[in-house]
Amino acid sequence: MVDFEFERNSLVDDLKMRGYVTSKAVEDAMRRVPREEFLPADLREEAYVDSPLPIGEGQTISAPHMVAIMAENLDLKTGQKILEVGTGSGYHAAVCAEVIAPDGHIYSIERITSLASFAEDNLKRTGYAKLVTVILGDGSKGLPDHAPYDRIFVAAGAPEVPSPLTAQLAHGGKLLVPVGTRWYQDLIRVTRQGAKLEKENLGGCVFVPLVGEYGH
Ligand code: SAM
């Protein structure tokens, strides 16, 4: 019988040592969210291997170090309104939910019906459903209904920064999006200051492709 809590804490210790987890807020969030609950039953024992894992429909749950990198570089704070594109299993949203609780909210958009319901079930079972709303649709166009967002992150690789996403960013808001080919991307951070958009390249990464109107 696997001691998930022990394995979770060991993984977070390792992510701290390797410099991926740098803040107390992200550390606490990753110590609390049970990644095993966001995996298909036959993969639960692999939950604390620092690797992406299959969740069905050819899609993956992101590796814990990538979730940490994105959470740290988004500079998440309690009370923020966030848009996630690519809900997948719901794990990444749950980690962010821990940080922005109790007053923040995450709108997470997924294009595959079975994954949207998988994520919803996982979020309900683990107690994050009040903080995360899962929506079925093409997130490459963003989600204008609830814009502007303090933070937006895309968990899939786009051919370029989708313009609807920068348009839906609040003043001072930050967007993280992997940009590149279907096989390899650079993690790009866009910060909005009024009409000005500042872009930074945070380094290489590998995500499944973003599909849809502003995707591949
Ligand atoms: N954040 C997820 C997690 O914690 O499990 C991992 C996301 S997975 C790497 C990428 C997801 O993006 C897939 O579930 C895929 O179906 C979804 N996706 C791709 N293009 C999309 C689009 N245009 N709109 C919404 N979701 C999209």
Side-chain angles (χ1 to χ4, degrees):
M1 181 79 180
V2 181
D3 182 345
F4 286 122
E5 194 176 343
F6 175 81
E7 290 209 345
R8 186 179 319 123
N9 282 317
S10 304
L11 175 67
V12 178
D13 291 344
D14 184 57
L15 294 175
K16 275 180 77 178
M17 213 173 62
R18 288 155 69 207
Y20 293 121
V21 169
T22 54
S23 69
K24 181 86 173 77
V26 173
E27 175 181 348
D28 288 348
M30 294 192 74
R31 288 196 194 281
R32 281 197 208 109
V33 181
R35 190 170 185 252
E36 68 276 13
E37 294 291 339
F38 293 83
L39 284 168
D42 60 327
L43 285 177
R44 288 204 173 142
E45 295 198 355
E46 314 288 316
Y48 297 103
V49 176
D50 187 16
S51 159
L53 291 167
I55 52 171
E57 309 282 356
Q59 306 301 321
T60 51
I61 182 173
S62 306
H65 76 270
M66 188 46 66
V67 173
I69 289 174
M70 291 182 81
E72 295 290 8
N73 281 292
L74 274 175
D75 188 24
L76 300 172
K77 302 258 185 313
T78 178
Q80 286 174 338
K81 182 167 46 156
I82 299 183
L83 174 66
E84 175 186 40
V85 178
T87 319
S89 66
Y91 172 72
H92 199 157
V95 170
C96 296
E98 277 285 351
V99 184
I100 55 113
D103 302 319
H105 199 82
I106 302 177
Y107 295 93
S108 184
I109 181 158
E110 170 57 56
R111 58 176 283 273
I112 300 178
T113 312
S114 61
L115 289 178
S117 11
F118 177 58
E120 254 180 350
D121 289 348
N122 297 340
L123 290 161
K124 262 187 210 141
R125 202 176 51 253
T126 49
Y128 293 104
K130 276 202 186 113
L131 290 162
V132 184
T133 305
V134 178
I135 292 140
L136 186 64
D138 177 6
S140 76
K141 298 188 282 189
L143 185 66
D145 296 3
H146 300 282
Y149 301 95
D150 301 307
R151 301 288 185 264
I152 300 178
F153 64 97
V154 183
E160 52 192 72
V161 176
S163 54
L165 299 186
T166 50
Q168 291 169 33
L169 208 50
H171 175 66
K174 292 181 197 300
L175 158 69
L176 275 187
V177 54
V179 175
T181 64
R182 295 175 73 91
W183 302 278
Y184 185 83
Q185 305 91 27
D186 286 310
L187 187 60
I188 303 296
R189 179 166 61 187
V190 180
T191 305
R192 173 181 285 287
Q193 297 298 349
K196 216 175 124 232
L197 298 172
E198 183 194 301
K199 265 192 206 176
E200 297 157 90
N201 186 337
L202 304 181
C205 56
V206 178
F207 278 84
V208 295
L210 180 78
V211 295
E213 195 170 327
Y214 293 83
H216 284 283

